[in-house]
Every structure is written in C-alpha cells, then in structure tokens.
Amino acid sequence: MTDLLNIEGLRTVFRTGSGEVTAVDGVSLSVARGKTLGIVGESGCGKSVLSLSLMRLVPSPGRIAGGRVMFDGKDLLSLPPAAMRDIRGRRIAMIFQEPMTSLNPVFTVGDQITEAMRAHDRGASAAALKSRAIAALDRVRIPAPERRFDEYPHQMSGGMRQRVMIAMALSCDPDLLIADEPTTALDVTVQAQILDLLRDLQQQSGMAIILITHDLGVVAEMADEVAVMYAGRVVERTSGKAIFDDPQHPYTLGLLGSIPKLEETQDRLLAIEGAVPPPFALPQGCRFNPRCVFADAECTRIDPQLRDLAAGHAVACLRAPVESIVGVGA
Amino acid sequence: MSALLEVEGLAKHYPVRRGLVMARQVGTVRAVDGVSFRLDRGETLALVGESGCGKSTTARLVLRLIEPSAGTVRFEGTDITALGGQALRKLRRRMQIVFQDPFASLNPRMTVGDILEEPLIVHEIGDRAARRARVEELLRLVGLAPFHAQRYPHEFSGGQRQRVGIARALAVEPALVVCDEPVSALDVSIQAQVVNLMKDLQARLGLSYLFIAHDLAVVKHMADRVAVMYLGRIVEEAPKDALFARPLHPYTRALLSAIPRPDPHRRGGHQIPKGDVPSPMNPPPGCHFNTRCPFATDICRTEDPPLRAPAIPGLPAGHIAACHHSESLPPVAVEEEAQPMAPAAARRLALYAERRGKMAATAG
C-alpha cells in the first residue's frame, strides 16, 4: 500500500447544551504520496473539523470519538502528545483560509518563519535559520526575499501573506500539506498564481496535499482524488476527472449546476435550495433528502451508505445513477 | 431608456500624511481617479476588478456615503454632489446598498423584524401596523417567512442573512440598488440562490443595479454591461456579450483567464499577470497596467492610454478600452475553449434541471 494517510471511520463530536452532536460522522478517506485529495462541500459540512481532527487540533468542547488516522504506518490518534507535536509542522503542515489573521501582526515575517524552524531544529544558529528562511521565501517566489524578511505582515498584500504562510508550512519539508480554503480570500489572478505555485512545489517536493474548498473550479485545477462531503459525511468519492465527467450524487450535481459558466449563457443558475442542516437537526434517512430533487419516500427512511458504483467511484445515494429513475414518480 | 445615474469624472484622493505633531502630506492615494459611466433604468452595470482597484470606493461615492474630491454624480437628472439636509435625506430613499459581509452588516442585537423596520422609521413611512405588514411582505419577497421577523441574525445562515440584507435595501422602494460584492462571501451553491433571487427581484420591481464584483463568472449572469477597473480607473467598458466575446484590454483577458474552470481537462494554462497590483499611491508611469502586461511596449511605459473606442470594424457601440494596442491584440485563444461537458454529466444535469423546474412549478 502506498497510501500516506488512511482515515478510517473518523468521528468527531462536540458537546453542547443539548447533548452531543456529530460534526464528522464516520469518514473514511486516503491520500497517496505526492497526490492531491480535494475535499468539497458547503460551509457547515464538516470539512474544516475533519482537517483539524487529522492534526488532533479539535477545539474544546469537541473531541475525536472514534476511528483511526493512519499516517505513514502510525495511528495519529493513539500517539502520545509529544510525538504528535513532532509530526505537526514537520511531517504534516497546514495553511488556512485567512492569511490576514494567521500571521501575528507584531512580529516580522522573518521572525515568524524562523520560529517554526527553530521549534523543530533547536540547535540551528540564527544565521543559518535566517538564510533558510530567505531560501523558503524565495521558493514561494516572493521577490526581494532579503528585504521582505524584515517586513511586517501589514506591509504585504493578501497574496504575499498567503505565500509567506506557504513558505512557513513548507519550511520543514512536510510529507502532507493540509490547505484549508487557501485561496478563498484572494482575488482571482492571485488565486491562479497561488494554485500554480502549489502545483509546482508539489512536483518538486513530492508532498501530498489535502485541499479543502467549496469551489469545484479549484478542485478541477488541483485534485487527483475528490471527496464530496455533506453534513459530516462523505457522499461521493472518486477521481478528480470522474467527479466532472461522471457525477453521481444529486448533491454533486447541484454543486456543479451552481457554478456560473463562462462559456455559455444560462438564464438561471441551478441552485440547490435550502442550506446544510446543522448537526443537531439532521433529517431522517438520507441527510440530503430535504434538498434533493430526486428524493422519494424511501430516501426519508433509509440512510444510504457509500457503495461502489464503479471501480474507485463510491456514492452514498439510493437513487444513483439518477437516469435509472426517469419517469418514475414526479 | 433614460439614464438613472450619470457619473462624470468622479475622483477620490486620500492624502497620506507622515509625522505626529507636524503632519505633512507626503503623497496621495488616488483610490478613484476620474471614473465616468451611466446606468439606465432597469439595467445592471457591473464594476469589476481586484482588491484595491477602487470599485467599492466608487460605489460609496455614488451613494454619497463619502465625499468625492472631484466629479459629478447625476441621479435622475440632479447633481447630488451638492445636495444637503432634507434633499439628501429624500435621495437616500431612492438609492440603497447591499453589503458584502452578511455577518457584519446586520446588527446582532436587533431582530430581523426590527432591522427591516428601521429604514421605514428613519424615512417616516407608514404607521406601526403598516410597517409591520411591510416587513412581512419584504420577508416573503426575498423567500423568507413572516415568522423569521422574530429571529436574530445569528440564527440565520450566510445566504439567509444576505436575503435579509437585500430585503432591508428594498424596504424603502429604491430605484437604484448598489450591490457591493453581495455574493462573494457565500458558498457557490448559496451564491446561485442569491443571484437568482436578485435577478427575479429586478424583473419584478424594475430595479437598477450597480453590481460590484471581482468574479467575472458571476457578473456574466447578472450584468447587462460591464466596466473593468484597475487602479482607480475604468480600463474597459462594454455590453456584456461583447466583453466576454472579445476583451480588448489585456487586464480583462487576464481576469478571464485566471478563473478556475470546473473542467479538469484543461488544468493550468492560465495567462496570469505577474506580480501584484502596484500601490495606488505610486502608480507606474504611462499605462498603469504596463508593469504586468505581456503586450507592453515603449509607448505603454510613457503615455497614458485614453479610454476610447478602438478602430475595429464591427465592434458594438459602447465598447471602449484604454489600451494602446487594442486593435493589434492577438485574438483570444479559442482553441483552449472548453470541450463540451461529458455526456453522462450533461445528461444528469439536464435531468436535475428538469426536476428542479417541476418542483419550482408545483411549489410556486
């Protein structure tokens, strides 16, 4: 098996005033070395909690209630805290959506990059760290890195700051980079630059990437494998090509239909009505059934499990493939 | 069609000062630098550009939420830059704004009913009973239910909050609604709902939209005409179809090319401009875009190109661009156009659309 990361039945719950709610509910995924897994879904579908669970950084009152996260042969969930700390940053790094708030405004960019390096390499001299940090800035194509090293975050644009975050994340040559909506706050031209950069860096270093996004356009640019999440579960899992060429789950269809297309003029976008149900008010049966245009009585009773429709293509829908039900009902 | 809004040479310059006691001006940020456009009744004009291009400042200038440094804004024939007191107050009823962030633009301590009633109170419209009835009507108008009036903003999702923001703007029956990135903060699926709602409302109420956005794909669905801004200026303006069919400014092309397409078969291959937008305090000489432009020549580095109609036969009226090389730009690479969608995907999306249509018909 060449999988770098193997998640099995991961469950993360939050304690609330009215009992426990499940934010991530039995998610199983894997990422191969050097490949990119895209995780797609709307706000509230559990994709960010999933990524925090992998790092064991779920904030209280949340906790991981079950499952395994096998990383390079070790179960991250049973590692002692010190060993886990060593993996964070060095083996698995993370970048977040908001480059504005992820950097400390009162320290220079250089201070913040060397801080991360020092944490994983206690013996290094200040001069050595500085030259490594400048090299890291250069690697993410920041012009004049020697000058930028002494600047503060507010002196940089959003795109620059995200590059600094990437430089910091990659400073210890991680095997896996978790990128949580890395380009959502950026302008389109900057977004394209950052995606290009991530692709190139992946090719150079052979790291695996988990890319979390709500934008299927970004998935098309980056992902080898895709998992579509809805209300804490994976509802469709397949390759980065099949998700566009052979989409199965009605939710995936809805996401595809929502994207405004540049090539054609549609009168109306195919929106999905409603919103993701909160984890304390999940509907009976299939969690998508209240918003699904193909749902029937069975969908409100039976909770569909992921099943393989084709090799490497799993879908959690009773009705899939949807063309099999044309003419039925309605 | 008559012009609802005419903007002429609008500018906003911010002085940059240094020093605490003896502050002296060391420069000027030209946030908006001579912008002119017109908006007809019932029409949507989109202002598109990246962060810092001055599009939001332009929107605020049009509403007179900030004072212009130069230029005029004529609304229904009157120059509003000189209005004050009662006249300005009256005008505010005619023009409203929907903000980008539905989390920050609604007061968390007020119920949705109070939020929607507030503009009616401010403008002294109706008595209490009439206002309450109007609030219910507004909620229905944007696809919410009357019982939502008792709820607080935190009980709503982002998409629902943006519906409240739209309802608030419509409360006083404006003619012009300025939409400042109304869907940028929303998920794609929710974006589609809100875009559809805004189009429906426009058709029903005859609204004019000044639609501020950075996403050209969304603009393609909303706008009748598009103006692209860069560093405080309009660099290209055209009817929507003309702009997308044949962009005549390299910056417009870059914006179009950078959009990630939901099509894994043509990954990469973007023609992205290098670097960042230069500081508006110190824009490059000549054409402001020359530092990032792949077509820049010597003239671009010295001479500022005027906004003009390029001499191209068959160009639709109203297509103007500020580029020295509009006539000689190579045609947009059509060969990289999308292949048609895979048959399985197209078939299922069609089914989805059909079901969706049926459900909408039975529901409404």
Side-chain angles (χ1 to χ4, degrees), chain A residues 45-57:
Chain A
C45 73
K47 53 196 199 300
S48 289
V49 174
L50 172 68
S51 66
L52 290 174
S53 304
L54 302 183
M55 295 286 262
R56 276 177 52 193
L57 289 173

Side-chain angles (χ1 to χ4, degrees), chain B residues 18-153:
Chain B
R18 198 135 300 152
L20 283 174
V21 186
M22 299 286 283
R24 63 202 163 82
Q25 189 170 337
V26 294
T28 310
V29 171
R30 294 165 190 276
V32 176
D33 196 15
V35 162
S36 305
F37 57 85
R38 62 177 268 162
L39 176 65
D40 288 335
R41 281 176 209 279
E43 189 191 34
T44 303
L45 172 69
L47 285 182
V48 188
E50 290 177 284
S51 319
C53 75
K55 54 193 193 298
S56 292
T57 308
T58 305
R60 282 162 173 71
L61 287 171
V62 164
L63 293 167
R64 265 200 75 194
L65 295 176
I66 48 178
E67 299 298 329
S69 311
T72 56
V73 178
R74 295 176 82 78
F75 182 78
E76 294 179 322
T78 12
D79 183 1
I80 64 164
T81 45
L83 288 185
Q86 269 305 314
L88 184 61
R89 226 175 144 78
K90 269 214 184 94
L91 174 81
R92 298 244 187 264
R93 269 189 76 170
R94 308 281 301 144
M95 34 169 56
Q96 287 286 314
I97 182 165
V98 177
F99 293 98
Q100 169 171 8
D101 188 345
F103 294 84
S105 59
L106 301 177
N107 187 336
R109 289 160 164 265
M110 288 166 77
T111 64
V112 162
D114 291 340
I115 288 171
L116 294 182
E117 198 183 342
E118 193 178 30
L120 300 173
I121 297 172
V122 169
H123 290 286
E124 294 163 358
I125 300 168
D127 57 11
R128 195 173 162 74
R131 290 196 303 259
R132 289 283 155 177
R134 174 77 178 139
V135 167
E136 282 194 13
E137 185 190 334
L138 285 166
L139 284 169
R140 279 205 201 91
L141 190 67
V142 297
L144 295 171
F147 68 84
H148 283 129
Q150 277 89 52
R151 303 247 176 112
Y152 287 90

Side-chain angles (χ1 to χ4, degrees), chain B residues 76-357:
Chain B
E76 294 179 322
T78 12
D79 183 1
I80 64 164
T81 45
L83 288 185
Q86 269 305 314
L88 184 61
R89 226 175 144 78
K90 269 214 184 94
L91 174 81
R92 298 244 187 264
R93 269 189 76 170
R94 308 281 301 144
M95 34 169 56
Q96 287 286 314
I97 182 165
V98 177
F99 293 98
Q100 169 171 8
D101 188 345
F103 294 84
S105 59
L106 301 177
N107 187 336
R109 289 160 164 265
M110 288 166 77
T111 64
V112 162
D114 291 340
I115 288 171
L116 294 182
E117 198 183 342
E118 193 178 30
L120 300 173
I121 297 172
V122 169
H123 290 286
E124 294 163 358
I125 300 168
D127 57 11
R128 195 173 162 74
R131 290 196 303 259
R132 289 283 155 177
R134 174 77 178 139
V135 167
E136 282 194 13
E137 185 190 334
L138 285 166
L139 284 169
R140 279 205 201 91
L141 190 67
V142 297
L144 295 171
F147 68 84
H148 283 129
Q150 277 89 52
R151 303 247 176 112
Y152 287 90
H154 76 266
E155 297 174 75
F156 291 88
S157 66
Q160 285 176 316
R161 269 184 249 212
Q162 202 54 296
R163 286 171 193 262
V164 174
I166 293 170
R168 177 175 59 184
L170 297 180
V172 294
E173 299 181 343
L176 169 68
V177 180
V178 173
C179 317
D180 189 3
E181 307 235 20
V183 298
S184 308
L186 306 175
D187 279 340
V188 179
S189 55
I190 309 298
Q191 260 183 23
Q193 289 177 11
V194 175
V195 165
N196 285 344
L197 172 71
M198 292 183 67
K199 286 186 84 169
D200 291 347
L201 289 172
Q202 180 170 43
R204 243 168 98 178
L205 307 173
L207 300 168
S208 302
Y209 288 140
L210 182 61
F211 191 86
I212 317 288
H214 69 262
D215 182 347
L216 273 169
V218 170
V219 161
K220 181 145 195 216
H221 280 268
M222 282 299 298
D224 300 306
R225 282 185 305 125
V226 183
V228 179
M229 286 186 73
Y230 189 73
L231 277 181
R233 295 185 183 168
I234 290 177
V235 296
E236 181 164 5
E237 189 193 318
K240 173 183 72 181
D241 292 333
L243 186 95
F244 286 91
R246 185 165 187 186
L248 292 176
H249 195 284
Y251 181 61
T252 313
R253 294 183 170 204
L255 279 183
L256 279 168
S257 171
I259 300 172
R261 312 290 165 88
D263 179 359
H265 302 286
R266 48 175 203 172
R267 187 167 286 193
H270 302 291
Q271 285 147 14
I272 317 158
K274 313 163 287 225
D276 278 345
V277 182
S279 158
M281 207 175 124
N282 188 17
C287 172
H288 285 354
F289 189 57
N290 84 66
T291 50
R292 304 173 74 196
C293 181
F295 306 106
T297 58
D298 284 340
I299 186 175
C300 305
R301 285 180 270 275
T302 52
E303 263 178 61
D304 200 358
L307 196 56
R308 67 200 168 89
I312 296 171
L315 201 67
H319 195 160
I320 48 177
C323 175
H324 292 298
H325 304 301
S326 282
E327 287 86 352
S328 56
L329 287 180
V332 187
V334 186
E335 65 277 5
E336 60 136 2
E337 277 300 307
Q339 297 125 331
M341 195 181 269
R347 193 167 62 231
R348 285 180 203 136
L349 271 178
L351 268 174
Y352 186 93
E354 189 191 313
R355 284 287 177 118
R356 198 71 192 73

Side-chain angles (χ1 to χ4, degrees), chain A residues 49-308:
Chain A
V49 174
L50 172 68
S51 66
L52 290 174
S53 304
L54 302 183
M55 295 286 262
R56 276 177 52 193
L57 289 173
V58 183
S60 174
R63 67 185 176 86
I64 297 168
R68 292 203 305 169
V69 178
M70 300 301 292
F71 176 75
D72 207 10
K74 285 181 289 243
D75 185 1
L76 295 185
L77 300 186
S78 59
L79 281 184
M84 188 62 214
R85 201 154 48 232
D86 204 44
I87 285 194
R88 280 189 213 119
R90 199 203 296 260
R91 306 286 313 273
I92 307 179
M94 202 162 178
I95 51 177
F96 298 93
Q97 171 172 357
E98 195 43 90
M100 219 75 102
T101 49
S102 321
L103 288 170
N104 190 331
V106 300
F107 289 100
T108 64
V109 159
D111 282 342
Q112 299 186 55
I113 301 183
T114 48
E115 182 190 16
M117 292 173 164
R118 195 175 295 118
H120 292 287
D121 188 1
R122 297 263 164 211
S125 71
L129 285 176
K130 177 166 180 178
S131 70
R132 266 171 61 195
I134 289 175
L137 290 175
D138 192 44
R139 201 167 150 214
V140 295
R141 298 183 208 142
I142 289 181
E146 299 84 4
R147 191 163 52 82
R148 292 291 186 181
F149 184 86
D150 293 316
E151 286 189 352
Y152 288 90
H154 76 266
Q155 293 170 287
M156 300 187 158
S157 66
M160 258 334 149
R161 276 189 282 239
Q162 195 58 287
R163 284 169 198 263
V164 170
M165 290 303 297
I166 295 172
M168 221 183 271
L170 301 189
S171 60
C172 295
D173 278 314
D175 298 308
L176 174 66
L177 176 70
I178 302 176
D180 188 354
E181 305 262 12
T183 59
T184 303
L186 304 176
D187 283 320
V188 274
T189 59
V190 181
Q191 164 169 288
Q193 289 172 355
I194 297 285
L195 294 180
D196 261 5
L197 175 68
L198 282 175
R199 258 197 310 260
D200 289 353
L201 292 172
Q202 181 176 38
Q203 242 160 33
Q204 290 166 23
S205 69
M207 65 179 171
I209 298 179
I210 294 182
L211 180 77
I212 296 171
T213 176
H214 71 271
D215 187 344
L216 277 169
V218 172
V219 166
E221 289 289 334
M222 300 288 293
D224 300 296
E225 295 288 320
V226 180
V228 180
M229 278 189 76
Y230 188 77
R233 293 218 180 132
V234 173
V235 295
E236 183 159 3
R237 196 174 59 206
T238 182
S239 74
K241 284 202 166 53
I243 200 77
F244 296 97
D245 292 347
D246 186 24
Q248 292 284 0
H249 198 283
Y251 181 58
T252 312
L253 293 174
L255 288 179
L256 282 170
S258 300
I259 307 173
K261 316 251 179 331
L262 270 180
E263 281 76 21
E264 51 199 278
T265 323
Q266 308 138 276
D267 259 2
R268 291 181 71 78
L269 298 169
L270 285 173
I272 315 173
E273 288 305 310
V276 182
F280 52 81
L282 293 173
Q284 286 287 305
C286 173
R287 290 177 179 183
F288 187 58
N289 87 70
R291 302 175 73 191
C292 181
V293 297
F294 300 106
D296 62 13
E298 205 182 20
C299 298
T300 61
R301 282 199 323 272
I302 301 171
D303 191 5
Q305 302 300 309
L306 269 181
R307 62 191 165 101
D308 282 329

